Amino acid sequence: MSLSAAEEEATAQEIHIPADIEWQMLDKSKFFFLGAALFSGVSAALYPMVVLKTRQQVAQSRVSCVRTGVWIMRCEGLRGLYRGFGTSLTGTIPARALYMTALEVTKSNVGTAATRLGLPEPSAAAVANAAAGLSAAMAAQVVWTPVDVISQRLMAQGGGGGGGNALPCKYVNGVDAFGKILSTDGIRGLYRGFGISILTYAPSNAVWWASYSVAQRLVWSGLGCLLCKNGEERVENGVLTSSSSSNGLRPDAKAVMAVQGLSAAMAGGVSALITMPLDTIKTRLQVLDGEENGRKGPSFGQTVRNLVREGGWTACYRGLGPRCASMSVSATTMITTYEFLKRLSAKNQEVLTS
């Protein structure tokens, strides 16, 4: 059955997608406790990809991801893929708490305001998600930047996977790195790259959350168009509807999770591609500080010139493969975990079936 023919059928019933859980509906203590546990597990699973990306970004010549991984496993073992993980995990817990709080509060308030201003629901949702991603990233960077500086230096030291590395093994652990950076460069040293981190992560988060909102509607609409060819469902204003059931259809949890995961992966890949050059420059600024020679670290302009000299403009995309994979997998895992966390933390569990 064609789409136009389907639209001429009797009044269709909507497929009810589970409603979003707002900030005021959450049990905050359960939300933060379970969130720390769930996201710690996610971070542990994805951390090796972050190490590979960082090693490629600070290498003085182009080295493949596979070669870097093989080199680390052969020379440093599995432990090499988890350099700096303890520091990263310690900082991630408070950073995630700040991120999730800013995200939910902003999304709820901006969404309500946008709706009152007369924006249609899809546009209001996209605006609210973009604003929420922007504010969440800016709040979290207060904690994440020092953690990034320390953990990335620990990741980068010890070898370069065949491409050369800027840092010898001069830090014993995160505490040692914190003390040495603080004594050498002061607080400013811990916040190296803070400005470019904001420029990288704030727009990236805004783009990601807005893209995620739009992608979900596109996926549901595409699925509806595909199904309506068989006379089963159709789409009205981004909502799947049934022309054959008087009670409508209700997708199960697996279907909703699959759509959320696919939408997150799409948004993550686009965001990684757009922000990759800034992420490479940020990593270089935070890792290659030249402190062993008593010299001031390179400026933004010097870092860009060094990258271009080493490998042309494509050098800014070193580590793109691991970053795209990391962000897509991380986004898929994060959003499914996050939505699951919100449902576990709902004050009124009846919301799960509403």
Side-chain angles (χ1 to χ4, degrees), residues 52-53 55-72 159-165 315 317-322:
L52 290 175
K53 172 190 74 74
R55 288 288 183 96
Q56 285 189 281
Q57 288 176 325
V58 300
Q60 296 173 358
S61 60
R62 181 181 292 276
V63 186
S64 72
C65 176
V66 173
R67 184 179 175 186
T68 301
V70 170
W71 192 95
I72 292 174
N165 227 21
Y317 283 88
R318 285 178 184 166
L320 178 61

Side-chain angles (χ1 to χ4, degrees), residues 182-197:
L182 196 61
S183 64
T184 303
D185 299 324
I187 293 293
R188 184 176 181 180
L190 293 171
Y191 278 90
R192 280 191 67 83
F194 178 72
I196 196 170
S197 292

Side-chain angles (χ1 to χ4, degrees), residues 36-100:
L38 288 171
F39 284 111
S40 293
V42 171
S43 297
L46 299 175
Y47 196 78
M49 283 189 280
V50 180
V51 174
L52 290 175
K53 172 190 74 74
T54 301
R55 288 288 183 96
Q56 285 189 281
Q57 288 176 325
V58 300
Q60 296 173 358
S61 60
R62 181 181 292 276
V63 186
S64 72
C65 176
V66 173
R67 184 179 175 186
T68 301
V70 170
W71 192 95
I72 292 174
M73 287 298 295
R74 186 174 67 242
C75 298
E76 303 174 52
L78 183 62
R79 185 178 179 180
L81 293 174
Y82 281 90
R83 280 186 179 273
F85 178 67
T87 300
S88 178
L89 184 61
T90 301
T92 293
I93 293 173
R96 282 286 183 192
L98 274 173
Y99 186 95
M100 291 188 295

Side-chain angles (χ1 to χ4, degrees), residues 301-316:
Q302 289 172 326
T303 300
V304 174
R305 287 193 292 273
N306 289 340
L307 272 169
V308 174
R309 184 170 61 250
E310 289 171 14
W313 288 106
T314 57
C316 292

Side-chain angles (χ1 to χ4, degrees), residues 200-224:
T200 300
Y201 292 124
S204 174
N205 269 263
V207 169
W208 189 91
W209 281 102
S211 299
Y212 171 67
S213 177
V214 173
Q216 272 202 94
R217 293 182 180 278
L218 289 176
V219 172
W220 281 119
S221 296
L223 181 60

Side-chain angles (χ1 to χ4, degrees), residues 230-296:
N230 297 321
E232 296 178 10
E233 287 104 9
R234 63 192 179 89
V235 179
E236 285 187 346
N237 298 321
V239 180
L240 281 175
T241 60
S242 169
S243 59
S244 59
S245 172
S246 59
N247 296 319
L249 296 177
R250 190 180 297 272
D252 60 19
K254 291 182 180 179
V256 173
M257 186 176 293
V259 170
Q260 289 173 340
L262 176 60
S263 302
M266 291 165 61
V270 171
S271 181
L273 183 63
I274 293 173
T275 60
M276 186 67 207
L278 285 174
D279 185 70
T280 301
I281 296 167
K282 173 190 74 68
T283 301
R284 285 259 178 151
L285 282 171
Q286 291 177 333
V287 174
L288 308 183
D289 67 340
E291 69 175 54
E292 65 274 9
N293 297 319
R295 294 181 288 104
K296 183 180 178 181

